[in-house]
Amino acid sequence: MTELTDRIREYWNRQPCNIRHGTSPVGTPEFFAEVSERRFRVEPHIREFAGFHHWQGKRVLEVGCGIGSDAEEFAKHGAEYVGIDISDESLAVAQQRFEVLGLEGEFHNRSAGDDLKDLGEFDLVYSYGVIHHFPNIEQTVQNIHSATCAGGEFRFMVYAKNSWKYAMIQKGLDQFEAQAGCPYADAFTHDDVYNLLSNDKWQIERLRQAHCFMYNVDEYKKGNYVLEPWFESMTEEVREAVREYLGWHLLVKATKK
């Protein structure tokens, strides 16, 4: 496990998630604005899913904060924010983001695979596209349960097995992450999620799929949003059906019993 953990840390240190989504110098307000604009344009479902405005005055723990795009939104909306990540490079950028933008929050270099009780209890534990990148997800969920207050929420996104992208991965036509060589990633079915959140500990409030990346990757890297021809030929109604039933993201909202 230690060797794999080191490989996971090194992978995300080498290229923190979304670090190339801005063209301005890293660490400037312009850079952070560009990263957020692209993130929420390509994945507009994040805002509704996270519900940033609901957490004013509440304690929020983000498991896998990355470079702080969602952290910024929680803090701007008045949450008492704490973020953890195993990537030193990601945390450094996230902390710089808060300093540059004058936001308040705490950041800790650690994994949710470790005990989280010393951080206190939280009204919301939020994790977007993170916990599927670490083995023994059952232990991670148990640690998150211990860090969630009674009646608190756990909102997380994991990759969906019954999805367009997973089918492409299985055929060798795609990969889990934009950056090659991801040391660990998993995908889940709806039943997997229900089994993961045992009935005596969590009440699943909502479980749905969303998001299918439909743009040409080379054009996207240039900042252009050009649909692949097979998606371009679809009506928007059909594209929305793909997102809803074959989406890459499983979005889960659960309440601690």
Side-chain angles (χ1 to χ4, degrees), residues 162-226:
N162 298 321
S163 64
W164 180 289
K165 177 154 181 171
Y166 193 74
M168 296 302 102
I169 292 172
Q170 293 301 103
K171 291 296 290 184
L173 300 173
D174 206 341
Q175 58 189 17
F176 275 94
E177 300 299 327
Q179 179 183 349
C182 181
Y184 188 90
D186 203 354
F188 298 81
T189 65
H190 286 225
D191 286 344
D192 291 336
V193 171
Y194 277 101
N195 291 332
L196 181 64
L197 302 183
S198 58
N199 291 332
D200 62 328
K201 294 183 177 180
W202 300 99
Q203 174 66 45
I204 295 179
E205 307 293 345
R206 191 179 186 191
L207 173 60
R208 68 185 182 94
Q209 285 180 238
H211 183 62
C212 182
F213 188 82
M214 299 183 178
Y215 301 108
N216 178 275
V217 172
D218 291 336
E219 289 295 326
Y220 180 73
K221 288 178 179 179
K222 300 174 186 176
N224 302 319
Y225 297 86
V226 179

Short mmCIF file of all heavy atoms in Angstrom, two decimals, residues 162-226:
data_model
loop_
_atom_site.label_atom_id
_atom_site.label_comp_id
_atom_site.label_asym_id
_atom_site.label_seq_id
_atom_site.Cartn_x
_atom_site.Cartn_y
_atom_site.Cartn_z
N ASN A 162 -21.33 1.76 -15.92
CA ASN A 162 -22.28 1.68 -17.03
C ASN A 162 -22.31 3.02 -17.76
O ASN A 162 -23.27 3.79 -17.66
CB ASN A 162 -23.67 1.31 -16.51
CG ASN A 162 -23.67 -0.06 -15.84
OD1 ASN A 162 -23.01 -0.98 -16.31
ND2 ASN A 162 -24.42 -0.20 -14.77
N SER A 163 -21.25 3.32 -18.47
CA SER A 163 -21.10 4.64 -19.09
C SER A 163 -20.43 4.53 -20.45
O SER A 163 -19.78 3.53 -20.78
CB SER A 163 -20.25 5.55 -18.19
OG SER A 163 -18.93 5.03 -18.06
N TRP A 164 -20.61 5.58 -21.23
CA TRP A 164 -19.98 5.68 -22.55
C TRP A 164 -18.46 5.59 -22.41
O TRP A 164 -17.79 4.82 -23.11
CB TRP A 164 -20.39 7.01 -23.20
CG TRP A 164 -19.82 7.25 -24.56
CD1 TRP A 164 -18.53 7.54 -24.89
CD2 TRP A 164 -20.54 7.25 -25.80
NE1 TRP A 164 -18.39 7.72 -26.24
CE2 TRP A 164 -19.62 7.55 -26.83
CE3 TRP A 164 -21.88 7.04 -26.13
CZ2 TRP A 164 -19.99 7.65 -28.16
CZ3 TRP A 164 -22.24 7.13 -27.47
CH2 TRP A 164 -21.31 7.42 -28.47
N LYS A 165 -17.90 6.37 -21.48
CA LYS A 165 -16.44 6.42 -21.38
C LYS A 165 -15.86 5.10 -20.92
O LYS A 165 -14.81 4.67 -21.44
CB LYS A 165 -16.00 7.53 -20.43
CG LYS A 165 -14.49 7.58 -20.25
CD LYS A 165 -13.96 8.93 -19.88
CE LYS A 165 -12.44 8.90 -19.74
NZ LYS A 165 -11.85 10.23 -19.58
N TYR A 166 -16.49 4.44 -19.96
CA TYR A 166 -15.96 3.16 -19.49
C TYR A 166 -15.94 2.13 -20.62
O TYR A 166 -15.02 1.32 -20.72
CB TYR A 166 -16.76 2.64 -18.31
CG TYR A 166 -16.07 1.51 -17.58
CD1 TYR A 166 -14.97 1.74 -16.77
CD2 TYR A 166 -16.52 0.20 -17.73
CE1 TYR A 166 -14.33 0.71 -16.11
CE2 TYR A 166 -15.89 -0.85 -17.08
CZ TYR A 166 -14.80 -0.59 -16.27
OH TYR A 166 -14.16 -1.63 -15.62
N ALA A 167 -16.95 2.18 -21.49
CA ALA A 167 -16.97 1.28 -22.65
C ALA A 167 -15.77 1.56 -23.55
O ALA A 167 -15.13 0.64 -24.07
CB ALA A 167 -18.28 1.45 -23.42
N MET A 168 -15.45 2.86 -23.75
CA MET A 168 -14.30 3.21 -24.58
C MET A 168 -12.99 2.77 -23.92
O MET A 168 -12.06 2.31 -24.61
CB MET A 168 -14.28 4.73 -24.81
CG MET A 168 -15.47 5.28 -25.59
SD MET A 168 -15.67 4.55 -27.25
CE MET A 168 -17.02 3.39 -26.93
N ILE A 169 -12.91 2.88 -22.60
CA ILE A 169 -11.72 2.42 -21.88
C ILE A 169 -11.54 0.91 -22.05
O ILE A 169 -10.43 0.42 -22.30
CB ILE A 169 -11.82 2.79 -20.38
CG1 ILE A 169 -11.74 4.32 -20.20
CG2 ILE A 169 -10.71 2.11 -19.57
CD1 ILE A 169 -12.02 4.79 -18.80
N GLN A 170 -12.65 0.18 -21.94
CA GLN A 170 -12.58 -1.27 -22.07
C GLN A 170 -12.10 -1.71 -23.45
O GLN A 170 -11.46 -2.75 -23.61
CB GLN A 170 -13.96 -1.88 -21.78
CG GLN A 170 -14.41 -1.72 -20.34
CD GLN A 170 -13.46 -2.36 -19.35
OE1 GLN A 170 -12.67 -1.68 -18.69
NE2 GLN A 170 -13.50 -3.68 -19.27
N LYS A 171 -12.39 -0.90 -24.47
CA LYS A 171 -11.96 -1.20 -25.84
C LYS A 171 -10.59 -0.61 -26.17
O LYS A 171 -10.10 -0.73 -27.29
CB LYS A 171 -13.00 -0.68 -26.83
CG LYS A 171 -14.32 -1.42 -26.81
CD LYS A 171 -14.17 -2.88 -27.25
CE LYS A 171 -13.85 -3.01 -28.72
NZ LYS A 171 -13.80 -4.43 -29.16
N GLY A 172 -9.96 0.02 -25.20
CA GLY A 172 -8.65 0.60 -25.42
C GLY A 172 -8.67 1.89 -26.21
O GLY A 172 -7.65 2.31 -26.77
N LEU A 173 -9.83 2.56 -26.27
CA LEU A 173 -9.99 3.79 -27.04
C LEU A 173 -9.92 5.04 -26.18
O LEU A 173 -10.01 6.15 -26.69
CB LEU A 173 -11.33 3.75 -27.80
CG LEU A 173 -11.49 2.59 -28.78
CD1 LEU A 173 -12.91 2.57 -29.33
CD2 LEU A 173 -10.48 2.69 -29.90
N ASP A 174 -9.79 4.87 -24.88
CA ASP A 174 -9.73 6.00 -23.96
C ASP A 174 -8.99 5.56 -22.71
O ASP A 174 -8.61 4.39 -22.58
CB ASP A 174 -11.15 6.48 -23.62
CG ASP A 174 -11.21 7.95 -23.23
OD1 ASP A 174 -10.16 8.52 -22.87
OD2 ASP A 174 -12.31 8.53 -23.28
N GLN A 175 -8.76 6.49 -21.79
CA GLN A 175 -8.11 6.19 -20.53
C GLN A 175 -8.82 6.94 -19.41
O GLN A 175 -9.61 7.84 -19.66
CB GLN A 175 -6.63 6.57 -20.58
CG GLN A 175 -6.39 8.04 -20.89
CD GLN A 175 -4.93 8.37 -21.15
OE1 GLN A 175 -4.12 7.49 -21.43
NE2 GLN A 175 -4.59 9.64 -21.06
N PHE A 176 -8.56 6.55 -18.17
CA PHE A 176 -9.30 7.13 -17.05
C PHE A 176 -9.08 8.64 -16.93
O PHE A 176 -10.02 9.39 -16.69
CB PHE A 176 -8.88 6.46 -15.74
CG PHE A 176 -9.65 5.19 -15.45
CD1 PHE A 176 -9.14 3.95 -15.82
CD2 PHE A 176 -10.88 5.23 -14.80
CE1 PHE A 176 -9.85 2.78 -15.55
CE2 PHE A 176 -11.59 4.08 -14.53
CZ PHE A 176 -11.08 2.85 -14.90
N GLU A 177 -7.84 9.09 -17.08
CA GLU A 177 -7.53 10.50 -16.90
C GLU A 177 -6.85 11.06 -18.14
O GLU A 177 -6.30 10.32 -18.95
CB GLU A 177 -6.61 10.68 -15.68
CG GLU A 177 -7.21 10.19 -14.36
CD GLU A 177 -8.48 10.92 -13.99
OE1 GLU A 177 -8.62 12.11 -14.30
OE2 GLU A 177 -9.36 10.29 -13.36
N ALA A 178 -6.88 12.38 -18.26
CA ALA A 178 -6.24 13.03 -19.41
C ALA A 178 -4.75 12.75 -19.41
O ALA A 178 -4.13 12.56 -20.47
CB ALA A 178 -6.50 14.54 -19.36
N GLN A 179 -4.16 12.73 -18.24
CA GLN A 179 -2.74 12.44 -18.11
C GLN A 179 -2.56 10.92 -18.05
O GLN A 179 -3.17 10.24 -17.22
CB GLN A 179 -2.19 13.09 -16.83
CG GLN A 179 -0.72 12.83 -16.57
CD GLN A 179 -0.27 13.43 -15.25
OE1 GLN A 179 -0.99 14.20 -14.63
NE2 GLN A 179 0.92 13.08 -14.81
N ALA A 180 -1.73 10.38 -18.91
CA ALA A 180 -1.54 8.92 -18.96
C ALA A 180 -0.85 8.41 -17.71
O ALA A 180 -0.20 9.15 -16.98
CB ALA A 180 -0.71 8.56 -20.20
N GLY A 181 -1.01 7.11 -17.47
CA GLY A 181 -0.28 6.46 -16.39
C GLY A 181 -0.91 6.54 -15.03
O GLY A 181 -0.21 6.36 -14.02
N CYS A 182 -2.20 6.80 -14.95
CA CYS A 182 -2.87 6.88 -13.65
C CYS A 182 -2.67 5.55 -12.90
O CYS A 182 -3.05 4.49 -13.40
CB CYS A 182 -4.36 7.16 -13.84
SG CYS A 182 -5.28 7.33 -12.30
N PRO A 183 -2.09 5.59 -11.70
CA PRO A 183 -1.73 4.33 -11.02
C PRO A 183 -2.91 3.56 -10.45
O PRO A 183 -2.81 2.35 -10.24
CB PRO A 183 -0.79 4.79 -9.90
CG PRO A 183 -1.12 6.23 -9.69
CD PRO A 183 -1.55 6.77 -11.01
N TYR A 184 -4.03 4.24 -10.20
CA TYR A 184 -5.19 3.53 -9.66
C TYR A 184 -6.46 4.31 -9.95
O TYR A 184 -6.54 5.52 -9.72
CB TYR A 184 -5.06 3.33 -8.14
CG TYR A 184 -6.13 2.42 -7.58
CD1 TYR A 184 -5.93 1.05 -7.51
CD2 TYR A 184 -7.35 2.94 -7.16
CE1 TYR A 184 -6.92 0.21 -7.01
CE2 TYR A 184 -8.34 2.10 -6.67
CZ TYR A 184 -8.13 0.75 -6.59
OH TYR A 184 -9.11 -0.09 -6.12
N ALA A 185 -7.47 3.60 -10.45
CA ALA A 185 -8.79 4.18 -10.66
C ALA A 185 -9.79 3.05 -10.73
O ALA A 185 -9.46 1.94 -11.17
CB ALA A 185 -8.84 5.02 -11.94
N ASP A 186 -11.00 3.32 -10.29
CA ASP A 186 -12.05 2.31 -10.32
C ASP A 186 -13.34 2.97 -10.79
O ASP A 186 -13.46 4.19 -10.82
CB ASP A 186 -12.24 1.71 -8.92
CG ASP A 186 -12.87 0.33 -8.95
OD1 ASP A 186 -13.25 -0.13 -10.04
OD2 ASP A 186 -12.97 -0.29 -7.87
N ALA A 187 -14.30 2.15 -11.19
CA ALA A 187 -15.61 2.63 -11.62
C ALA A 187 -16.67 1.77 -10.93
O ALA A 187 -16.42 0.61 -10.57
CB ALA A 187 -15.75 2.56 -13.13
N PHE A 188 -17.89 2.33 -10.79
CA PHE A 188 -18.90 1.70 -9.96
C PHE A 188 -20.26 1.68 -10.65
O PHE A 188 -20.57 2.55 -11.46
CB PHE A 188 -19.03 2.48 -8.63
CG PHE A 188 -17.77 2.49 -7.82
CD1 PHE A 188 -16.75 3.38 -8.11
CD2 PHE A 188 -17.59 1.60 -6.79
CE1 PHE A 188 -15.58 3.39 -7.38
CE2 PHE A 188 -16.42 1.58 -6.04
CZ PHE A 188 -15.41 2.48 -6.33
N THR A 189 -21.05 0.67 -10.29
CA THR A 189 -22.44 0.63 -10.70
C THR A 189 -23.30 1.24 -9.59
O THR A 189 -22.82 1.49 -8.48
CB THR A 189 -22.90 -0.82 -10.93
OG1 THR A 189 -22.86 -1.52 -9.68
CG2 THR A 189 -22.01 -1.52 -11.95
N HIS A 190 -24.58 1.44 -9.88
CA HIS A 190 -25.50 1.92 -8.85
C HIS A 190 -25.54 0.93 -7.68
O HIS A 190 -25.53 1.35 -6.51
CB HIS A 190 -26.90 2.10 -9.44
CG HIS A 190 -27.03 3.30 -10.32
ND1 HIS A 190 -28.09 4.17 -10.26
CD2 HIS A 190 -26.22 3.79 -11.30
CE1 HIS A 190 -27.95 5.13 -11.15
NE2 HIS A 190 -26.81 4.92 -11.80
N ASP A 191 -25.57 -0.36 -7.98
CA ASP A 191 -25.60 -1.36 -6.92
C ASP A 191 -24.33 -1.30 -6.07
O ASP A 191 -24.39 -1.49 -4.85
CB ASP A 191 -25.75 -2.76 -7.51
CG ASP A 191 -27.17 -3.04 -8.02
OD1 ASP A 191 -28.09 -2.28 -7.65
OD2 ASP A 191 -27.33 -4.01 -8.78
N ASP A 192 -23.20 -1.05 -6.70
CA ASP A 192 -21.95 -0.92 -5.95
C ASP A 192 -22.05 0.20 -4.91
O ASP A 192 -21.58 0.05 -3.77
CB ASP A 192 -20.78 -0.62 -6.89
CG ASP A 192 -20.41 -1.78 -7.78
OD1 ASP A 192 -20.70 -2.93 -7.40
OD2 ASP A 192 -19.84 -1.53 -8.85
N VAL A 193 -22.65 1.31 -5.31
CA VAL A 193 -22.78 2.44 -4.39
C VAL A 193 -23.70 2.09 -3.23
O VAL A 193 -23.40 2.39 -2.07
CB VAL A 193 -23.30 3.68 -5.14
CG1 VAL A 193 -23.65 4.80 -4.15
CG2 VAL A 193 -22.27 4.18 -6.14
N TYR A 194 -24.82 1.44 -3.51
CA TYR A 194 -25.73 1.03 -2.45
C TYR A 194 -25.05 0.06 -1.48
O TYR A 194 -25.25 0.13 -0.26
CB TYR A 194 -27.00 0.42 -3.02
CG TYR A 194 -28.02 1.44 -3.44
CD1 TYR A 194 -28.17 1.81 -4.77
CD2 TYR A 194 -28.83 2.07 -2.49
CE1 TYR A 194 -29.10 2.77 -5.16
CE2 TYR A 194 -29.76 3.04 -2.86
CZ TYR A 194 -29.89 3.37 -4.20
OH TYR A 194 -30.80 4.32 -4.57
N ASN A 195 -24.23 -0.84 -2.00
CA ASN A 195 -23.51 -1.78 -1.15
C ASN A 195 -22.43 -1.08 -0.33
O ASN A 195 -22.15 -1.46 0.81
CB ASN A 195 -22.89 -2.89 -1.99
CG ASN A 195 -23.92 -3.82 -2.60
OD1 ASN A 195 -25.00 -3.99 -2.04
ND2 ASN A 195 -23.59 -4.41 -3.73
N LEU A 196 -21.82 -0.06 -0.92
CA LEU A 196 -20.76 0.68 -0.23
C LEU A 196 -21.31 1.47 0.95
O LEU A 196 -20.69 1.54 2.01
CB LEU A 196 -20.07 1.63 -1.23
CG LEU A 196 -18.92 2.48 -0.71
CD1 LEU A 196 -17.75 1.60 -0.27
CD2 LEU A 196 -18.47 3.46 -1.80
N LEU A 197 -22.49 2.07 0.77
CA LEU A 197 -23.11 2.86 1.83
C LEU A 197 -24.12 1.97 2.55
O LEU A 197 -25.31 1.98 2.24
CB LEU A 197 -23.79 4.10 1.24
CG LEU A 197 -22.90 5.04 0.42
CD1 LEU A 197 -23.69 6.25 -0.04
CD2 LEU A 197 -21.67 5.48 1.22
N SER A 198 -23.65 1.20 3.50
CA SER A 198 -24.50 0.23 4.18
C SER A 198 -25.71 0.92 4.81
O SER A 198 -25.64 2.04 5.30
CB SER A 198 -23.71 -0.52 5.25
OG SER A 198 -23.16 0.37 6.19
N ASN A 199 -26.84 0.23 4.79
CA ASN A 199 -28.12 0.82 5.17
C ASN A 199 -28.19 1.30 6.61
O ASN A 199 -29.00 2.16 6.95
CB ASN A 199 -29.25 -0.18 4.92
CG ASN A 199 -29.47 -0.42 3.43
OD1 ASN A 199 -29.20 0.46 2.62
ND2 ASN A 199 -29.96 -1.60 3.09
N ASP A 200 -27.34 0.73 7.49
CA ASP A 200 -27.40 1.14 8.90
C ASP A 200 -26.58 2.39 9.18
O ASP A 200 -26.62 2.91 10.30
CB ASP A 200 -26.94 0.00 9.80
CG ASP A 200 -25.48 -0.38 9.53
OD1 ASP A 200 -25.04 -0.26 8.37
OD2 ASP A 200 -24.79 -0.79 10.48
N LYS A 201 -25.86 2.89 8.17
CA LYS A 201 -25.01 4.05 8.40
C LYS A 201 -25.39 5.28 7.56
O LYS A 201 -25.20 6.41 7.98
CB LYS A 201 -23.55 3.69 8.14
CG LYS A 201 -23.00 2.67 9.14
CD LYS A 201 -21.53 2.40 8.89
CE LYS A 201 -20.99 1.43 9.95
NZ LYS A 201 -19.55 1.14 9.75
N TRP A 202 -25.88 5.04 6.36
CA TRP A 202 -26.19 6.13 5.44
C TRP A 202 -27.57 5.95 4.82
O TRP A 202 -27.99 4.82 4.57
CB TRP A 202 -25.17 6.20 4.29
CG TRP A 202 -23.75 6.40 4.68
CD1 TRP A 202 -22.78 5.44 4.79
CD2 TRP A 202 -23.11 7.64 4.99
NE1 TRP A 202 -21.59 6.00 5.15
CE2 TRP A 202 -21.75 7.36 5.28
CE3 TRP A 202 -23.55 8.97 5.04
CZ2 TRP A 202 -20.83 8.34 5.62
CZ3 TRP A 202 -22.63 9.96 5.39
CH2 TRP A 202 -21.30 9.65 5.68
N GLN A 203 -28.22 7.06 4.56
CA GLN A 203 -29.45 7.06 3.77
C GLN A 203 -29.16 7.76 2.46
O GLN A 203 -28.84 8.95 2.45
CB GLN A 203 -30.57 7.80 4.51
CG GLN A 203 -31.85 7.98 3.72
CD GLN A 203 -32.55 6.66 3.42
OE1 GLN A 203 -32.68 5.82 4.31
NE2 GLN A 203 -32.99 6.48 2.18
N ILE A 204 -29.22 7.03 1.35
CA ILE A 204 -28.98 7.65 0.05
C ILE A 204 -30.19 8.48 -0.34
O ILE A 204 -31.30 7.97 -0.46
CB ILE A 204 -28.68 6.60 -1.02
CG1 ILE A 204 -27.36 5.87 -0.69
CG2 ILE A 204 -28.58 7.23 -2.42
CD1 ILE A 204 -26.99 4.78 -1.67
N GLU A 205 -29.97 9.78 -0.53
CA GLU A 205 -31.04 10.70 -0.88
C GLU A 205 -31.21 10.83 -2.39
O GLU A 205 -32.33 11.01 -2.89
CB GLU A 205 -30.77 12.08 -0.26
CG GLU A 205 -30.50 12.07 1.24
CD GLU A 205 -31.70 11.67 2.07
OE1 GLU A 205 -32.83 11.66 1.52
OE2 GLU A 205 -31.52 11.37 3.26
N ARG A 206 -30.08 10.75 -3.09
CA ARG A 206 -30.15 10.88 -4.55
C ARG A 206 -28.93 10.22 -5.17
O ARG A 206 -27.82 10.35 -4.66
CB ARG A 206 -30.22 12.36 -4.97
CG ARG A 206 -30.55 12.54 -6.45
CD ARG A 206 -30.64 14.01 -6.83
NE ARG A 206 -31.09 14.18 -8.20
CZ ARG A 206 -31.05 15.33 -8.87
NH1 ARG A 206 -30.62 16.41 -8.28
NH2 ARG A 206 -31.48 15.40 -10.12
N LEU A 207 -29.16 9.52 -6.27
CA LEU A 207 -28.09 8.86 -7.01
C LEU A 207 -28.40 9.00 -8.49
O LEU A 207 -29.44 8.53 -8.96
CB LEU A 207 -28.01 7.39 -6.61
CG LEU A 207 -27.05 6.47 -7.40
CD1 LEU A 207 -25.62 6.97 -7.30
CD2 LEU A 207 -27.15 5.04 -6.89
N ARG A 208 -27.54 9.68 -9.22
CA ARG A 208 -27.80 9.89 -10.64
C ARG A 208 -26.50 9.96 -11.41
O ARG A 208 -25.42 10.12 -10.83
CB ARG A 208 -28.60 11.18 -10.86
CG ARG A 208 -27.84 12.47 -10.55
CD ARG A 208 -28.74 13.68 -10.68
NE ARG A 208 -28.06 14.95 -10.42
CZ ARG A 208 -27.51 15.71 -11.36
NH1 ARG A 208 -27.58 15.34 -12.64
NH2 ARG A 208 -26.92 16.86 -11.05
N GLN A 209 -26.60 9.86 -12.73
CA GLN A 209 -25.45 9.99 -13.61
C GLN A 209 -25.49 11.31 -14.36
O GLN A 209 -26.56 11.89 -14.59
CB GLN A 209 -25.40 8.83 -14.61
CG GLN A 209 -24.92 7.53 -13.98
CD GLN A 209 -24.85 6.37 -14.94
OE1 GLN A 209 -25.49 5.35 -14.71
NE2 GLN A 209 -24.08 6.50 -16.02
N ALA A 210 -24.31 11.77 -14.74
CA ALA A 210 -24.19 13.02 -15.50
C ALA A 210 -22.84 13.03 -16.21
O ALA A 210 -21.95 12.24 -15.89
CB ALA A 210 -24.32 14.23 -14.57
N HIS A 211 -22.70 13.92 -17.17
CA HIS A 211 -21.44 14.27 -17.81
C HIS A 211 -20.88 13.22 -18.77
O HIS A 211 -20.56 12.10 -18.39
CB HIS A 211 -20.36 14.58 -16.77
CG HIS A 211 -19.06 15.03 -17.39
ND1 HIS A 211 -18.96 16.16 -18.17
CD2 HIS A 211 -17.83 14.48 -17.38
CE1 HIS A 211 -17.71 16.29 -18.59
NE2 HIS A 211 -17.02 15.29 -18.13
N CYS A 212 -20.77 13.62 -20.00
CA CYS A 212 -20.03 12.87 -21.00
C CYS A 212 -19.19 13.88 -21.76
O CYS A 212 -19.74 14.82 -22.35
CB CYS A 212 -20.99 12.13 -21.95
SG CYS A 212 -20.15 11.12 -23.18
N PHE A 213 -17.88 13.74 -21.70
CA PHE A 213 -17.00 14.70 -22.38
C PHE A 213 -17.12 14.47 -23.88
O PHE A 213 -16.70 13.43 -24.40
CB PHE A 213 -15.56 14.53 -21.92
CG PHE A 213 -14.65 15.60 -22.44
CD1 PHE A 213 -14.58 16.84 -21.83
CD2 PHE A 213 -13.87 15.38 -23.57
CE1 PHE A 213 -13.74 17.83 -22.31
CE2 PHE A 213 -13.04 16.36 -24.07
CZ PHE A 213 -12.98 17.60 -23.43
N MET A 214 -17.67 15.45 -24.59
CA MET A 214 -18.01 15.27 -26.00
C MET A 214 -17.13 16.07 -26.95
O MET A 214 -17.34 16.04 -28.16
CB MET A 214 -19.49 15.65 -26.23
CG MET A 214 -20.45 14.80 -25.43
SD MET A 214 -22.19 15.20 -25.77
CE MET A 214 -23.02 13.98 -24.73
N TYR A 215 -16.14 16.76 -26.41
CA TYR A 215 -15.33 17.64 -27.24
C TYR A 215 -14.10 16.93 -27.81
O TYR A 215 -13.57 15.99 -27.21
CB TYR A 215 -14.87 18.86 -26.44
CG TYR A 215 -16.01 19.67 -25.89
CD1 TYR A 215 -16.31 19.66 -24.53
CD2 TYR A 215 -16.81 20.44 -26.73
CE1 TYR A 215 -17.36 20.40 -24.01
CE2 TYR A 215 -17.87 21.18 -26.23
CZ TYR A 215 -18.13 21.16 -24.87
OH TYR A 215 -19.18 21.88 -24.36
N ASN A 216 -13.64 17.41 -28.95
CA ASN A 216 -12.38 16.96 -29.53
C ASN A 216 -11.24 17.40 -28.61
O ASN A 216 -11.10 18.59 -28.31
CB ASN A 216 -12.20 17.56 -30.93
CG ASN A 216 -10.89 17.16 -31.55
OD1 ASN A 216 -9.86 17.79 -31.33
ND2 ASN A 216 -10.91 16.10 -32.35
N VAL A 217 -10.43 16.45 -28.17
CA VAL A 217 -9.42 16.72 -27.15
C VAL A 217 -8.37 17.71 -27.65
O VAL A 217 -7.97 18.64 -26.92
CB VAL A 217 -8.75 15.40 -26.70
CG1 VAL A 217 -7.57 15.70 -25.78
CG2 VAL A 217 -9.76 14.52 -25.99
N ASP A 218 -7.89 17.56 -28.88
CA ASP A 218 -6.86 18.46 -29.40
C ASP A 218 -7.37 19.90 -29.44
O ASP A 218 -6.65 20.85 -29.08
CB ASP A 218 -6.41 18.01 -30.79
CG ASP A 218 -5.63 16.71 -30.75
OD1 ASP A 218 -5.05 16.41 -29.69
OD2 ASP A 218 -5.59 16.01 -31.78
N GLU A 219 -8.61 20.09 -29.88
CA GLU A 219 -9.19 21.43 -29.91
C GLU A 219 -9.43 21.97 -28.51
O GLU A 219 -9.22 23.15 -28.23
CB GLU A 219 -10.50 21.42 -30.71
CG GLU A 219 -10.32 21.22 -32.20
CD GLU A 219 -9.58 22.38 -32.84
OE1 GLU A 219 -9.74 23.53 -32.39
OE2 GLU A 219 -8.82 22.13 -33.80
N TYR A 220 -9.84 21.08 -27.62
CA TYR A 220 -10.10 21.48 -26.24
C TYR A 220 -8.83 22.00 -25.57
O TYR A 220 -8.86 22.99 -24.82
CB TYR A 220 -10.67 20.29 -25.46
CG TYR A 220 -10.99 20.57 -24.02
CD1 TYR A 220 -12.10 21.34 -23.67
CD2 TYR A 220 -10.20 20.05 -23.00
CE1 TYR A 220 -12.40 21.59 -22.34
CE2 TYR A 220 -10.50 20.29 -21.68
CZ TYR A 220 -11.60 21.06 -21.34
OH TYR A 220 -11.89 21.31 -20.03
N LYS A 221 -7.71 21.36 -25.85
CA LYS A 221 -6.44 21.80 -25.27
C LYS A 221 -6.05 23.20 -25.76
O LYS A 221 -5.30 23.91 -25.09
CB LYS A 221 -5.33 20.80 -25.63
CG LYS A 221 -5.44 19.48 -24.88
CD LYS A 221 -4.34 18.52 -25.31
CE LYS A 221 -4.42 17.21 -24.54
NZ LYS A 221 -3.36 16.25 -24.97
N LYS A 222 -6.58 23.58 -26.91
CA LYS A 222 -6.33 24.93 -27.45
C LYS A 222 -7.34 25.95 -26.93
O LYS A 222 -7.27 27.13 -27.30
CB LYS A 222 -6.39 24.90 -28.98
CG LYS A 222 -5.39 23.97 -29.64
CD LYS A 222 -5.65 23.90 -31.15
CE LYS A 222 -4.78 22.87 -31.83
NZ LYS A 222 -5.10 22.74 -33.28
N GLY A 223 -8.28 25.48 -26.14
CA GLY A 223 -9.29 26.37 -25.62
C GLY A 223 -10.54 26.45 -26.47
O GLY A 223 -11.39 27.32 -26.26
N ASN A 224 -10.67 25.54 -27.45
CA ASN A 224 -11.83 25.53 -28.34
C ASN A 224 -12.79 24.39 -27.96
O ASN A 224 -12.35 23.30 -27.61
CB ASN A 224 -11.39 25.36 -29.80
CG ASN A 224 -10.42 26.44 -30.23
OD1 ASN A 224 -10.60 27.61 -29.90
ND2 ASN A 224 -9.39 26.06 -30.98
N TYR A 225 -14.07 24.67 -28.06
CA TYR A 225 -15.07 23.68 -27.69
C TYR A 225 -15.74 23.16 -28.96
O TYR A 225 -16.76 23.68 -29.41
CB TYR A 225 -16.09 24.30 -26.74
CG TYR A 225 -15.48 24.74 -25.42
CD1 TYR A 225 -14.89 26.01 -25.29
CD2 TYR A 225 -15.47 23.90 -24.32
CE1 TYR A 225 -14.32 26.41 -24.10
CE2 TYR A 225 -14.89 24.29 -23.12
CZ TYR A 225 -14.32 25.55 -23.02
OH TYR A 225 -13.74 25.93 -21.83
N VAL A 226 -15.12 22.13 -29.56
CA VAL A 226 -15.58 21.56 -30.81
C VAL A 226 -16.05 20.13 -30.55
O VAL A 226 -15.26 19.27 -30.14
CB VAL A 226 -14.47 21.56 -31.88
CG1 VAL A 226 -14.97 20.94 -33.17
CG2 VAL A 226 -13.94 22.97 -32.11
#
